[in-house]
Amino acid sequence: MKKTLTIMCASIIALGGLTMVSCGSKTDGGEANATADAVAKASKMTLAELEAASKAEMEASNDTFKVVGLTSTLDRGLKILCQNYDWLHYEDEESGKKNTYCNNGYKDYLLLTALEQAEDSYFADFALVQDARSLADYAEDGLLHNYVPSDREELGLAEKDSAPLKGIHFNKIFFCNKNLMEKHSNKFTNIWQVAGRAEDERHLDNLSFQSPVTEQINMSFLLSLYDTANEARIAAAYKSYYGKDWSANDWVDKDNKPLYTSVADTYVQTFIKNIKTLHGSDGTAMKETQCKEVVQEGNDPYIYYGAFAKMKDAAGKDYDLDGDGKKETNAMTTVGWDMEIEGFNGFMYTMYSQVVNNAKHPYTACLFARFILTPEFYTNVIYNEKTPNSKGEPSNMYGYYYPCTSKTVGVNDLDWTKEKWIEKSINEDYNYLKTIKSGQVTKIQSLVSSIK
C-alpha cells in the first residue's frame, strides 16, 4: 500500500479540553482531505447539529450509506438507527426504499485488504475495525479517520477509550469441555501448562488455536505478550509453575546456547510449538467442545483459545451424547470458561469505530459511531435470549462488553464483569501495538508455518 502523508492523527490534545479529534491534514497533492475535515467538524458538534448534518447529506445524496465490519451486531444496529431517523431507510417493505447497506461478513484480514481502496476512491462510510495494530497502520496512511463525540463525558466514555474510538469490547479466552477436564488428573491452572516442554509436570498437549497469520487479533495477542507491562505476570506464573525464576540458561540448544531472549519470548515460542490444531472457526470450536474429544488414559482434553462471543453459538448447539437418539446436551452447559488460571485467562480487545477515507456520508458515519456508544444500541443489539441472566431474562451475550460507564446497561450475572475480565486478561494496548516492527510479525508467522 502506498504511504501518504499522515491524514489522521490518533489524537489532538487540545489544551484545556483534552478533546481528541481527527486531523484535517493535507494529502500528497496538497489539498485538504474532505473526510478528515468533516470528521473534525463532527467532533465539535452537538448531537442535534450532527443529526442535522447527517440529514442534509443523506437527503442530498443519491448513494447508499455503507457500513462494513466483522460482526452481525452492525446490521442490527443499523436497522435500529434507521428506525430513529426518517432520512435513513433500512428497507421499507411496501416501497422497497433503501439507502443504507451493511456488509458484516468480512474476516479481519479481508476487511483490511478491502479498505485499501479508500486511499483513492470510495469504499464505505463507516468501518468497525478489529485489531489495533492494523488500525494504527491504516490511520497513519489516511485510510481511516477518528471521530470523538463532543458529549463523550456525558456518554460515560473514558478519554483513553476515545483515540481511537472504541466501539465494543470483546475477549478471546482459554476454554475447554469442563466435564472432560473434571475427569482428567491435570486441571488447567497455569498458562505454562500449554507452553513450556512436553515433559513438564501437568503439561497439557492438546491446544487448539486459530492461525494468527489470518486471524489478526490472535497475532496481536501473541505480540502483546512481549510488552514489558505484561511480562511480570508471565514471569510470576513461570515461577509458580517451575518453582524458580526464569533464566535463559534453563532453555538452551544442543550447543548450550540460549534459545529465547526473555520469559515472554520463551512463552510465545513454546506456546506456538505446543499448538496441536489450528481450528478454522472459533464458533465451531466453541460448539464442538463435546463431540471432538474422548478422554482416554494419557490423552489430554483439548484447551481451546477463541472468542468468548461465540458462546452464543454454543447455546444454539445440542448433542446426543448418550446415544438414545435425543439431543439433550447443550454445548453451552459444558463449556468451561471461568477457570482460575495463573498468568491470564485470555485477551481483552476492542472493535474500533472509524470513518473511512473518501466517505460519501461522513456525518452519518459519525452519527452511527456515536449511536454504538449508547445504551439503546447495546441493550437492543447485544442482549440475547440465548444467553439469559440468572433470572432467565434476555441479557448481554457473553464476550460482548459495553465500552462506556452506564447505570442503565446491566451485566449478565452469569458472566464476569468487564472489569474482572480486564483484571484477568492481557489487555490490548493501541500505543504499544502501533510500535511493533514487521520483523516481530514475520518471526511469529514463521513459527506458525512450522506447525505440523
Side-chain angles (χ1 to χ4, degrees):
M1 179 173 58
K2 179 182 131 185
K3 289 278 185 181
T4 63
L5 295 177
T6 302
I7 295 173
M8 187 201 83
C9 291
S11 65
I12 293 176
I13 303 181
L15 294 177
L18 294 176
T19 302
M20 302 181 183
V21 299
S22 174
C23 293
S25 302
K26 304 288 183 179
T27 65
D28 285 339
E31 296 180 358
N33 181 280
T35 310
D37 289 345
V39 171
K41 292 175 182 176
S43 296
K44 298 176 182 178
M45 290 179 175
T46 64
L47 174 58
E49 290 170 336
L50 182 59
E51 290 170 336
S54 168
K55 181 177 182 180
E57 74 179 359
M58 292 303 300
E59 291 180 344
S61 174
N62 293 318
D63 297 299
T64 299
F65 171 61
K66 185 177 179 182
V67 169
V68 293
L70 298 83
T71 170
S72 59
T73 58
L74 275 179
D75 189 55
R76 297 196 296 273
L78 180 59
K79 186 173 185 178
I80 296 172
L81 185 75
C82 292
Q83 292 172 352
N84 290 346
Y85 300 112
D86 58 12
W87 60 86
L88 296 173
H89 310 289
Y90 182 83
E91 188 165 23
D92 188 292
E93 293 182 1
E94 295 182 4
S95 66
K97 192 175 182 180
K98 181 180 177 74
N99 66 353
T100 61
Y101 170 77
C102 178
N103 184 339
N104 54 30
Y106 285 97
K107 279 284 190 180
D108 53 1
Y109 67 97
L110 291 176
L111 175 59
L112 293 169
T113 300
L115 279 169
E116 293 187 8
Q117 301 171 50
E119 183 172 26
D120 302 308
S121 59
Y122 171 72
F123 168 64
D125 297 291
F126 172 94
L128 195 64
V129 180
Q130 179 174 281
D131 180 30
R133 179 176 59 87
S134 298
L135 170 58
D137 289 341
Y138 280 58
E140 180 182 350
D141 285 336
L143 300 182
L144 297 171
H145 302 270
N146 195 59
Y147 159 75
V148 181
S150 63
D151 56 348
R152 170 188 63 77
E153 292 186 25
E154 289 81 356
L155 288 168
L157 184 71
E159 182 183 339
K160 64 181 177 61
D161 293 332
S162 63
L165 184 66
K166 292 187 176 182
I168 307 171
H169 290 272
F170 292 89
N171 56 351
K172 288 212 173 191
I173 67 168
F174 290 116
F175 62 93
C176 64
N177 183 314
K178 64 183 179 183
N179 293 345
L180 298 181
M181 184 59 73
E182 287 172 0
K183 297 176 183 177
H184 198 265
S185 58
N186 293 335
K187 308 300 186 289
F188 185 30
T189 59
N190 189 295
I191 57 171
W192 285 94
Q193 289 176 259
V194 291
R197 304 181 180 95
E199 61 267 25
D200 290 340
E201 185 179 359
R202 298 188 294 117
H203 182 80
L204 295 169
D205 287 316
N206 291 339
L207 175 63
S208 189
F209 191 76
Q210 198 169 9
S211 174
V213 176
T214 54
E215 181 73 357
Q216 296 300 312
I217 202 65
N218 281 7
M219 178 64 77
S220 288
F221 161 64
L222 294 173
L223 292 169
S224 295
L225 297 176
Y226 285 97
D227 187 353
T228 53
N230 299 320
E231 201 157 27
R233 64 198 305 171
I234 298 172
Y238 182 97
K239 186 171 184 177
S240 176
Y241 186 60
Y242 289 103
K244 59 181 178 179
D245 290 325
W246 177 86
S247 170
N249 294 328
D250 291 330
W251 303 84
V252 296
D253 62 15
K254 58 183 179 60
D255 297 319
N256 213 36
K257 294 181 179 180
L259 291 166
Y260 311 113
T261 59
S262 66
V263 66
D265 188 47
T266 307
Y267 186 82
V268 171
Q269 292 208 47
T270 59
F271 177 89
I272 292 173
K273 291 175 182 177
N274 195 51
I275 295 171
K276 183 172 183 177
T277 301
L278 287 170
H279 62 255
S281 164
D282 285 347
T284 299
M286 183 71 78
K287 288 183 288 188
E288 293 185 349
T289 50
Q290 284 92 332
C291 62
K292 185 173 182 178
E293 4 179 10
V294 176
V295 174
Q296 299 173 342
E297 189 173 350
N299 182 37
D300 292 330
Y302 267 87
I303 301 295
Y304 302 90
Y305 175 90
F308 194 34
K310 300 301 181 181
M311 190 71 145
K312 67 181 184 299
D313 293 355
K317 185 73 172 180
D318 296 322
Y319 293 102
D320 172 19
L321 292 185
D322 56 14
D324 65 357
K326 298 179 181 179
K327 295 181 178 181
E328 63 281 301
T329 304
N330 186 267
M332 185 176 174
T333 65
T334 63
V335 175
W337 57 267
D338 56 349
M339 297 171 284
E340 290 295 329
I341 305 171
E342 291 182 277
F344 51 83
N345 281 61
F347 184 56
M348 283 288 286
Y349 64 99
T350 304
M351 287 189 182
Y352 298 90
S353 293
Q354 294 289 288
V355 182
V356 183
N357 195 48
N358 287 310
K360 292 185 177 179
H361 314 98
Y363 293 109
T364 306
C366 292
L367 183 64
F368 189 47
R370 184 192 177 282
F371 179 60
I372 288 175
L373 299 173
T374 64
E376 180 186 7
F377 172 90
Y378 194 82
T379 56
N380 283 283
V381 172
I382 306 300
Y383 279 30
N384 193 311
E385 61 183 11
K386 288 183 178 179
T387 53
N389 61 20
S390 60
K391 296 180 180 179
E393 302 164 337
S395 188
N396 62 291
M397 294 182 280
Y398 296 72
Y400 293 78
Y401 306 99
Y402 187 55
C404 302
T405 300
S406 173
K407 295 180 180 179
T408 59
V409 173
V411 175
N412 191 326
D413 57 3
L414 297 178
D415 187 5
W416 286 346
T417 64
K418 180 179 70 174
E419 290 71 27
K420 183 171 181 178
W421 276 117
I422 288 173
E423 175 191 343
K424 303 284 283 185
S425 303
I426 298 294
N427 291 277
E428 182 181 58
D429 184 341
Y430 176 82
N431 290 320
Y432 170 74
L433 288 169
K434 71 180 183 181
T435 69
I436 294 295
K437 305 299 182 184
S438 60
Q440 283 182 271
V441 177
T442 300
K443 177 182 177 180
I444 290 176
Q445 290 175 335
S446 178
L447 288 167
V448 172
S449 67
S450 67
I451 296 174
K452 297 179 180 179

